[in-house]
Amino acid sequence: MIGNKVPQQIVIEVGDIFKRILKETEKVRDENTNDMSVLQAISIVLDKHPELRQEGLAHEVLQWYICRMEAWFAVDADMISLKFWDQEDVLTGGHGLMVQGYDPVIKALAKDIDIRLNHRVAKISNGCNKAMVTLEDGRNFVADAAIVTVPIGILKANLIQFEPKLPEWKVAAISELGMGNENKIALRFDRVFWPNVELLGIVAPTSYACGYFLNLHKATGHPVLVYMAAGRFAYDLEKLPDDSAANFAMSQLKKMFPDATEPVQYLVSRWGTDPNSLGCYSYDVVGMPSDLYERLRAPLGNLFFGGEALSMDHQGSVHGAYSAGIMAAQNCERHLLNRLGNLEKLQLDSFRHEILETAFPLQISRM
């Protein structure tokens, strides 16, 4: 038995209307000097073009498209910057799912590198051409330079002490960038009872109440559905214990499939309260200064900064984090070459090219 299915024609038509609405928001952006949220711009467009307003089921489908947009940025539409939301340099090639996760990439990049796990950093000091990292247990690591790539949520929460203190312009840049939240509830079943589609969506009168499941069976062959929640709703879900969160996801699923079987296993993420991240990835806030990324990336002596939050073109992505890390490493390399000389250049160049030319044993499945 299947719940009330939205006719595909309505989904397509409303999708086209949503694209038209977003296109009209570009005019709103051009007509206004001050930045505003995407949601406010959509409201202005609908006031100017009432023919684009949707009623009844079509309105709920439109809210679902807004929900999907919020999932992309991991924040509600009333917090997404109209000025910057579409400035990302999206890579070509379509979407795919890394069946083995990012583990093969991490292992390849980590080969022959001394990586210390479970070493929580409490303090970073730099001066006298040295950088010292102090752990929570009091141990110290001293080096010629350091690259900070912790999630921006950790820096925003001041969980790492800097000595000397970060300058005000750096602190301001950190505070002026947003940190989004998107959580997943993975449900594994003993059998597949849903259609072979990429997404299973739930429409509702508001984007907050909408939702969708990612069908992993289509790409992996495993009977797994993943419920996605972003923005304020993601934080609200984190207030629930795991079993209650899984039960909520099942209640959403049973709106589509009333006879759905119970999951045999579930996993619930909590990125917003995870002490190692305090969010999932960054986003551009309304009114963000144009020089923010320059200030974020700017080094402080022998202290350099990397991570997805510093990638202007590929923010909120793994490839953005990787490219920002390469940039920070190259800046660090130049700093050390200027100070230490050519002997280290041979060692650093060899190390860098070995990393960049590593062949990743990946298995990617098209959704």
Side-chain angles (χ1 to χ4, degrees):
M1 180 178 178
I2 299 179
N4 296 326
K5 184 178 180 180
V6 178
Q8 189 66 18
Q9 188 61 30
I10 294 181
V11 176
I12 295 173
E13 290 176 357
V14 176
D16 290 338
I17 290 173
F18 184 56
K19 291 178 182 177
R20 289 175 56 191
I21 292 173
L22 292 181
K23 189 67 177 178
E24 289 295 325
T25 64
E26 296 179 13
K27 298 178 182 178
V28 176
R29 177 169 55 194
D30 294 339
E31 294 168 356
N32 290 269
T33 304
N34 295 329
D35 194 12
M36 67 179 71
S37 72
V38 167
L39 188 63
Q40 182 180 353
I42 290 175
S43 178
I44 292 174
V45 168
L46 295 180
D47 286 341
K48 289 184 176 181
H49 301 277
E51 72 278 7
L52 296 178
R53 289 187 180 276
Q54 303 299 299
E55 303 293 339
L57 181 59
H59 169 76
E60 295 188 1
V61 174
L62 178 61
Q63 294 302 308
W64 184 81
Y65 278 107
I66 294 176
C67 167
R68 292 281 288 122
M69 182 182 192
E70 292 172 335
W72 183 268
F73 293 96
V75 69
D76 293 75
D78 63 352
M79 299 178 69
I80 300 172
S81 167
L82 176 65
K83 183 177 180 180
F84 295 105
W85 79 269
D86 59 350
Q87 301 304 301
E88 179 185 359
D89 183 14
V90 180
L91 298 181
T92 59
H95 292 284
L97 180 71
M98 300 181 67
V99 178
Q100 299 167 283
Y102 285 101
D103 188 55
V105 178
I106 295 172
K107 286 182 177 178
L109 291 173
K111 183 180 179 182
D112 299 327
I113 300 177
D114 181 9
I115 296 178
R116 310 292 178 90
L117 301 178
N118 299 314
H119 283 51
R120 189 181 296 276
V121 175
K123 182 179 179 181
I124 299 175
S125 308
N126 68 310
C128 300
N129 292 323
K130 292 293 181 182
M132 183 170 69
V133 175
T134 303
L135 306 184
E136 284 187 340
D137 61 11
R139 285 181 292 167
N140 295 315
F141 292 86
V142 179
D144 294 307
I147 301 176
V148 180
T149 62
V150 298
I152 198 72
I154 300 300
L155 296 180
K156 291 172 73 68
N158 297 314
L159 295 186
I160 296 177
Q161 178 185 354
F162 288 87
E163 182 62 40
K165 292 182 178 180
L166 297 178
E168 290 186 5
W169 56 265
K170 177 70 81 172
V171 174
I174 293 170
S175 65
E176 290 164 354
L177 188 67
M179 184 59 158
N181 189 22
E182 183 177 27
N183 281 310
K184 302 176 182 179
I185 303 174
L187 307 170
R188 185 170 69 86
F189 300 90
D190 57 0
R191 63 180 178 85
V192 175
F193 52 81
W194 55 88
N196 188 33
V197 294
E198 179 180 344
L199 297 176
L200 297 166
I202 306 108
V203 301
T206 65
S207 64
Y208 179 91
C210 291
Y212 67 97
F213 290 84
L214 179 65
N215 176 19
L216 292 192
H217 180 262
K218 182 176 175 62
T220 69
H222 299 295
V224 176
L225 293 174
V226 181
Y227 183 75
M228 312 290 287
R232 296 185 183 94
F233 185 52
Y235 283 107
D236 288 343
L237 274 182
E238 291 192 31
K239 299 174 184 177
L240 302 176
D242 284 2
D243 58 346
S244 296
N247 288 337
F248 172 80
M250 281 302 301
S251 70
Q252 295 293 88
L253 187 61
K254 288 184 177 181
K255 291 179 181 178
M256 293 182 284
F257 307 101
D259 297 329
T261 61
E262 293 299 314
V264 296
Q265 185 182 11
Y266 58 81
L267 291 173
V268 181
S269 70
R270 299 178 179 278
W271 290 113
T273 52
D274 188 317
N276 296 315
S277 60
L278 297 181
C280 61
Y281 45 81
S282 60
Y283 69 92
D284 296 334
V285 302
V286 176
M288 184 188 75
S290 58
D291 67 340
L292 182 140
Y293 286 97
E294 294 178 9
R295 287 182 284 140
L296 280 176
R297 287 194 292 258
L300 299 173
N302 57 350
L303 195 60
F304 300 84
F305 296 84
E308 60 81 19
L310 279 70
S311 176
M312 181 182 296
D313 295 329
H314 304 293
Q315 183 186 42
S317 67
V318 173
H319 52 277
Y322 179 79
S323 62
I326 292 296
M327 179 184 297
Q330 290 173 338
N331 290 336
C332 180
E333 177 187 58
R334 282 191 291 268
H335 169 81
L336 293 178
L337 289 176
N338 289 335
R339 191 166 65 83
L340 300 178
N342 291 329
L343 177 61
E344 283 72 14
K345 180 180 187 337
L346 295 176
Q347 298 171 344
L348 288 167
D349 275 351
S350 173
F351 169 77
R352 185 182 67 186
H353 292 309
E354 179 182 344
I355 291 296
L356 293 177
E357 295 173 3
T358 300
F360 298 156
L362 302 180
Q363 180 183 352
I364 299 178
S365 175
R366 289 293 180 196
M367 296 298 292

